[in-house]
Amino acid sequence: MQRFRDILVWQKSRALTCRVYDLTRNYPADERYGLVAQLRRAAISVMSNIAEGSKRITQRDYAHFLNIAEGSAAEIESLLITSTDQAYLDTESADEAIYAVDEISRMLFALRRSVLSRTNAP
């Protein structure tokens, strides 16, 4: 079984998590338990679910955790859009992060399909 640290999408998710922490550092104090906490939790959720799923016994379980990571990636994108709507984040920074989220989402989808294709293999 592959170590989760060697999985490229986990590595990209880790970089995104660091980016989210940097981006949210200057949000207003009253968003500390709102958008900031939600964005950070969603970012951590992506990388954590990849890691946890990679250690599951069945491929179907692994795919389930990858699907949860996909949902968290969509949540990040939605929260970044809200952040720009509220002028907490400039559009350029948000677009760069959304591009990374989109790349991660595509990678997660492909990995999940690959993992699921192995559930029917002999």
Side-chain angles (χ1 to χ4, degrees):
M1 182 158 299
Q2 188 176 26
R3 288 172 21 106
F4 70 85
R5 288 192 203 181
D6 296 334
I7 301 170
L8 182 59
V9 70
W10 181 87
Q11 295 168 1
K12 289 184 177 283
S13 298
R14 179 183 178 197
L16 176 63
T17 298
C18 292
R19 183 71 181 130
V20 164
Y21 269 75
D22 288 342
L23 290 172
T24 58
R25 204 162 265 123
N26 295 320
Y27 277 42
D30 64 339
E31 284 297 342
R32 175 185 225 164
Y33 301 107
L35 274 174
V36 172
Q38 196 68 23
L39 259 166
R40 289 177 176 185
R41 268 195 305 273
I44 290 169
S45 176
V46 174
M47 60 186 283
S48 296
N49 278 292
I50 296 166
E52 186 173 352
S54 73
K55 298 303 179 189
R56 293 296 169 153
I57 293 172
T58 69
Q59 296 299 303
R60 194 168 302 284
D61 284 345
Y62 185 13
H64 175 72
F65 279 88
L66 293 173
N67 186 240
I68 293 169
E70 288 176 279
S72 295
E75 184 179 1
I76 294 168
E77 183 175 354
S78 179
L79 293 166
L80 288 169
I81 291 166
T82 300
S83 294
T84 59
D85 291 346
Q86 296 302 310
Y88 299 149
L89 190 59
D90 65 272
T91 305
E92 184 179 336
S93 296
D95 286 347
E96 289 172 6
I98 289 170
Y99 179 82
V101 170
D102 186 55
E103 180 182 28
I104 289 166
S105 295
R106 285 184 275 114
M107 292 174 77
L108 285 167
F109 178 79
L111 179 57
R112 183 170 51 84
R113 286 188 56 152
S114 174
V115 166
L116 282 174
S117 73
R118 290 181 253 159
T119 60
N120 296 327

